[in-house]
Amino acid sequence: MRTRVTRVLSVTSVILAGALGLAGCAGGSSGSSSASGGGGSSSCFLTGATASTAPSPSAAGGKVTISFMEAMSGGTLKSSLAHLVSEFEAANPNITVQLQESPDYTTLEQNERDAVSAKKAPTIGQVYEGWAADYANSGVIDQLDSYLNQTQPSPLSGLYTGVANDQKLCDNHYYMWPFNKSLYVNFYNQNMLQQAGQTAPTTWDQFATVAKAVSKNGVTGITIDPGGPTAGATGGMVWLEILAQAFGTPVYDADGNPEFNSPAAIKAMQYLADLKKSGALATGKSYPGEAALGAQKGLFDLSSVAGYSYEQQTVGNKFTLGTENLPAGPAGPANQMNGTNVVIFSSATDAQKAAAWKFMQFLTTAQSQAYWASNTGYLPVTPAALPLMTAFTSKNPWMTVAAGALRTASGTAAVPWADKSQGELGTALTDVLENNVTPTDALNKAQTNAVADQKAAQ
């Protein structure tokens, strides 16, 4: 599996959630960088979660082994995590970190749920927001407010704002700690842009103007995969979601309720339909934007920064690959943050929890994040890492550009119906771009189906 994939989960995850009797709740609610918690929205149905008391840091004083279920199973991901574990163990000789590897995120989720059901949960595990909501509602992970309050100023203050906000669920309490993060950027053919007398767009209106200007003589401004009911979160689908937020309304509200047919979403869909009608947008499958960009048949490719090495490999030495933050819309900049966080499972002993929290904080130090980002292509979750990465960023300026967007990016909806309902958006996008269905009709249908998906998952 290519690690740059946003999030491709099987329907099995929803079935497993039902089998465990777990319910989810939305994340992404805005909040300050404090860990004080507070009352969440009245529509938040995270009713099974309970407050947790962090063990004293001294609880990790003796020899202790902690287990970490993770999916960093290939290439530099595997070796980089192993390196960080070795560094941590050298600095903390009484703590042993036992990595429990899964080959991909789908398998990881199943392994975690199976372990919880068998009452053999790991100490900590990588999670997406929706998994964390399920786990919190079942009472199997610790709420981290009291952990965060052990240190002042809060450890959250060192994180990018978007990353810090992503650690909460809809009850306004913290349950997660960040690990590997990526988001979407605009890759483009810098030579083609200059030859056309254009500059990198900073607004979506400018993006459309530039895309239309270069779409001639066998070149199309951008090519996307619109997705569908079982395609996972494709680039086209994610772009639609980002546009809706940039035009004023995210496709999920703060409690994870779908808002697929909002005026902003309809405007976003019309924007894409207009690009297609003008000849500035084409559709395809399996990273078609990357292929078109590399073949010099496309100007732009909107994709995850975690795919930079793939873009670079495709482009080779044919032209200069440009990388910029996504343009802004009328409501300001918007982006979708991907990658996982880490949770502490409640069944661990106090000694394991204290050691785990120490390890989790180690993973987000400036030094650890500088190493991690420089060796994996993931973004550092703290801006303090960038000054330690000059050898890397001088050759890869895209890293600094992309990391800055973590200030305003938001995570995916922390609800168990997100994976299936996102497929409804893919179907709507395909209907509009390939079957000439109107944006309003396509999104009204998607909204109806998404609400049904939501009710089925609750």
Side-chain angles (χ1 to χ4, degrees), residues 217-414:
N217 301 324
V219 173
T220 303
I222 185 168
T223 302
I224 64 171
D225 183 345
T230 61
T234 64
M237 191 189 308
V238 173
W239 187 16
L240 174 63
E241 294 177 1
I242 290 170
L243 282 173
Q245 184 171 352
F247 289 159
T249 307
V251 293
Y252 295 95
D253 69 14
D255 295 307
N257 300 305
E259 299 182 299
F260 291 1
N261 59 349
S262 71
I266 292 173
K267 181 179 178 181
M269 185 71 87
Q270 187 64 58
Y271 175 94
L272 298 176
D274 289 344
L275 281 178
K276 177 75 185 304
K277 185 177 181 179
S278 71
L281 183 150
T283 59
K285 298 296 180 184
S286 188
Y287 307 106
E290 178 187 299
L293 180 66
Q296 301 182 76
K297 298 296 183 182
L299 173 60
F300 298 121
D301 182 33
L302 304 180
S303 189
S304 168
V305 72
Y308 177 78
S309 62
Y310 295 99
E311 301 277 348
Q312 196 172 44
Q313 182 179 353
T314 302
V315 168
N317 297 318
K318 289 176 283 190
F319 57 85
T320 301
L321 178 64
T323 308
E324 295 287 346
N325 284 336
L326 295 186
N335 209 317
Q336 188 175 109
M337 184 165 48
N338 307 126
T340 65
N341 300 316
V342 179
V343 295
I344 298 177
F345 286 91
S346 301
S347 57
T349 66
D350 281 355
Q352 289 173 324
K353 291 178 181 180
W357 180 233
K358 194 171 187 178
F359 175 64
M360 289 159 65
Q361 292 180 89
F362 167 81
L363 289 178
T364 55
T365 62
Q367 293 80 4
S368 294
Q369 283 293 300
Y371 177 85
W372 176 254
S374 296
N375 284 278
T376 66
Y378 277 108
L379 302 177
V381 299
T382 171
L386 290 174
L388 307 179
M389 298 171 58
T390 53
F392 180 85
T393 55
S394 63
K395 298 178 182 178
N396 300 276
W398 58 270
M399 176 67 76
T400 302
V401 171
L406 290 174
R407 295 184 177 90
T408 55
S410 56
T412 54

Side-chain angles (χ1 to χ4, degrees), residues 74-142:
T76 59
L77 297 177
K78 183 182 180 77
S79 59
S80 297
L81 179 56
H83 173 85
L84 290 176
V85 167
S86 295
E87 281 198 339
F88 176 79
E89 290 178 336
N92 299 272
N94 286 334
I95 303 175
T96 299
V97 181
Q98 182 185 77
L99 297 177
Q100 298 179 351
E101 182 184 289
S102 295
D104 52 62
Y105 288 130
T106 301
T107 305
L108 173 65
E109 182 187 13
Q110 182 170 347
N111 287 342
E112 287 179 352
R113 292 183 183 275
D114 288 347
V116 169
S117 294
K119 300 189 183 303
K120 295 180 180 180
T123 312
I124 57 176
Q126 278 182 271
V127 297
Y128 276 108
E129 297 89 339
W131 313 357
D134 283 344
Y135 296 159
N137 199 49
S138 71
V140 299
I141 60 173
D142 273 11

